[in-house]
Amino acid sequence: MELTSSALVYVVALAAALTLLATLWLWPRLARQRPLPVLGRLGLLTVTQTAVLTVCALSVNNTFGFYTSWQDLLSPDTSRLALAPAQSGGKGGPPSGDTLVSPTDEGGLSGITDLPQGKPEEVGRVDSIRVNGKATGLSDQMFIYLPPEYFNPKYHRERFPVLLTLAGFPGPAAAWLTDLHAVQALWDLQRTGRMPPTVVVLARPTVAAPRNTECVNVPGGPQTETWFAKDVPAALRSAYRVSRSGTSWGVLGYSTGGSCALRLALRDPESYAAAAALHGEYQVTPDWSTGDLFGGNQQLAQGYDLGWRLHNEPVPKTSLLVVSTRTEDDYAATQQFLATAAPVSEAHPELTVDSLFLPDGGHTFDTWQRELPAALEWMGDHLAPPPDREPRS
């Protein structure tokens, strides 16, 4: 059974219930104050508590997505790879040869039943894939949505724009399917003509679980920015009929994923020409989940301060959308960022910054689900049609 499957939780919960019943039944029989009965009571308590804690751990992991597979949890090589300096190869990195994308059973896709039903050429298709990076040696499980047109012979030479979507921390990529119902929203927008046919990659920013690297290149650690800016596009282009031009690529995220989206578009505009952030942040703030990502290097940290970049670095050609609510904790910070960006975008038309605010709502999936269709539609308007086509065979 997959680590994230509900069936595993139910099986372990049943085992925990049986151990509890066994403890109640055996306890009177082990009441004597002799070595063997005492050891028996200790054994019963140990087994029962271990079973209960395992149920709790599995449930928390399914909710927050710290680990998406048994390999993610148990492979020591993968853990070292994620927390060591950038490298390539090795277990958990790119397989031998040029296979940068491979199908996988990870992520729990088989247990998700409310996706659009029908033939791929009618409703599209969602696949679970493992993406491997050449530049960083990082590897992670993702989902990819291929629109119906991808399977239509009429479009066999067409390349498609790409939208990378990033979940929050420590949420799993599956949150896009189970909590935000992103594929249903995409299907509705694309079939009604409000969004062009787009390949959408559903991912998480947590490539060095359980640490939150905020999509930055950590000195002496995981090169997460390079992973998303270089490795992920290169891998997808090697396996799918998608645009080779960054003008047709965008990135969208909520919470930490939204913060990542803005950073990638401002710092790597050649990779992503547009970004939309639902309740993102504009600085990398050290906390329990990140630690000191920059090793005390304030100059490096400053480079990831989006307001500072707009005034001190060359203005990139990119389009940004910030989305929040007027009752959210980040409302004041968002207003400050917009005030900082306004004169810059007026002086540099190559930079556009739009905003969308709901009157109420918090840092919740319910709010993000309400905001998602408008953000997707905006993204569809800001991704250029792919300028390239497949060569004739």
Side-chain angles (χ1 to χ4, degrees), residues 83-94:
L83 295 173
Q87 54 182 311
S88 61
K91 186 176 180 181

Side-chain angles (χ1 to χ4, degrees), residues 180-222:
L180 287 173
H181 307 287
V183 171
Q184 290 89 330
L186 287 164
W187 164 238
D188 182 62
L189 289 170
Q190 294 187 25
R191 71 182 178 85
T192 56
R194 289 177 288 164
M195 185 178 183
T198 303
V199 171
V200 180
V201 183
L202 312 164
R204 60 174 184 165
T206 316
V207 296
R211 189 181 187 188
N212 180 10
T213 56
E214 291 276 2
C215 300
V216 308
N217 283 341
V218 180

Side-chain angles (χ1 to χ4, degrees), residues 50-242:
T50 299
V52 171
L53 289 174
T54 301
V55 174
C56 294
L58 289 171
S59 299
V60 169
N61 186 67
N62 285 1
T63 300
F64 295 107
F66 291 104
Y67 303 98
T68 60
S69 67
W70 290 110
Q71 177 185 346
D72 197 9
L73 174 65
L74 301 175
S75 172
D77 288 336
T78 300
S79 298
R80 288 199 297 270
L81 179 66
L83 295 173
Q87 54 182 311
S88 61
K91 186 176 180 181
S96 59
D98 297 323
T99 304
L100 300 180
V101 178
S102 56
T104 180
D105 293 330
E106 301 170 79
L109 182 61
S110 60
I112 301 172
T113 59
D114 59 347
L115 298 175
Q117 299 298 310
K119 299 178 180 178
E121 59 270 24
E122 296 173 349
V123 300
R125 191 178 75 198
V126 178
D127 293 330
S128 179
I129 58 175
R130 176 158 284 275
V131 178
N132 303 288
K134 278 188 173 181
T136 65
L138 294 171
S139 176
D140 203 14
Q141 180 270 332
M142 304 176 181
F143 299 100
I144 186 166
Y145 168 74
L146 303 172
E149 289 79 3
Y150 193 89
F151 304 96
N152 188 329
K154 178 181 176 181
Y155 297 88
H156 75 283
R157 291 188 58 221
E158 299 295 329
R159 298 189 189 274
F160 291 82
V162 179
L163 175 59
L164 172 67
T165 65
L166 297 175
F169 174 85
W176 287 106
L177 304 177
T178 58
D179 296 297
L180 287 173
H181 307 287
V183 171
Q184 290 89 330
L186 287 164
W187 164 238
D188 182 62
L189 289 170
Q190 294 187 25
R191 71 182 178 85
T192 56
R194 289 177 288 164
M195 185 178 183
T198 303
V199 171
V200 180
V201 183
L202 312 164
R204 60 174 184 165
T206 316
V207 296
R211 189 181 187 188
N212 180 10
T213 56
E214 291 276 2
C215 300
V216 308
N217 283 341
V218 180
Q223 303 296 285
T224 319
E225 180 184 356
T226 301
W227 159 253
F228 284 117
K230 306 299 181 186
D231 278 348
V232 171
L236 295 173
R237 285 170 178 147
S238 75
Y240 295 98
R241 215 164 61 247
V242 296

